[in-house]
Amino acid sequence: SLNVYPTVVTDLLNIEVTDRSVVQIYSVSGIKLFEKEIESREISLNSAGILPGAYILRVLYDGKIHQQIIFVK
């Protein structure tokens, strides 16, 4: 299973997964800005280097692809 919170990010984006996964963040124009393989069950990503706006979060796990919009303030 996958849990992503909050959807409006002010400092940390938290991602919880049951297995190894890959986290990617894209601009809304489709440019990949970030990619990291997660080997633990939980990761917190700091949004300090990201400009405010809307982004696409993509998580690849258990042979599935989860995509959602996140907002950075």
Side-chain angles (χ1 to χ4, degrees), residues 50-69:
I50 300 177
L51 294 174
Y55 295 88
I56 300 166
L57 172 71
R58 188 173 175 165
V59 182
L60 296 84
Y61 70 104
D62 292 335
K64 302 174 189 171
I65 298 173
H66 172 83
Q67 243 180 221
Q68 75 179 67
I69 300 292

Side-chain angles (χ1 to χ4, degrees), residues 8-64:
V8 177
V9 182
T10 55
D11 55 355
L12 293 176
L13 173 66
N14 301 294
I15 302 169
E16 299 172 356
V17 292
T18 56
D19 204 356
R20 294 175 61 177
S21 62
V22 175
V23 174
Q24 301 169 330
I25 296 177
Y26 290 85
S27 67
V28 289
S29 60
I31 298 169
K32 187 189 299 183
L33 304 172
F34 177 85
E35 179 171 298
K36 182 169 185 165
E37 187 170 332
I38 302 173
E39 299 204 14
S40 60
R41 298 181 76 124
E42 185 175 341
I43 187 171
S44 294
L45 301 176
N46 191 327
S47 66
I50 300 177
L51 294 174
Y55 295 88
I56 300 166
L57 172 71
R58 188 173 175 165
V59 182
L60 296 84
Y61 70 104
D62 292 335
K64 302 174 189 171

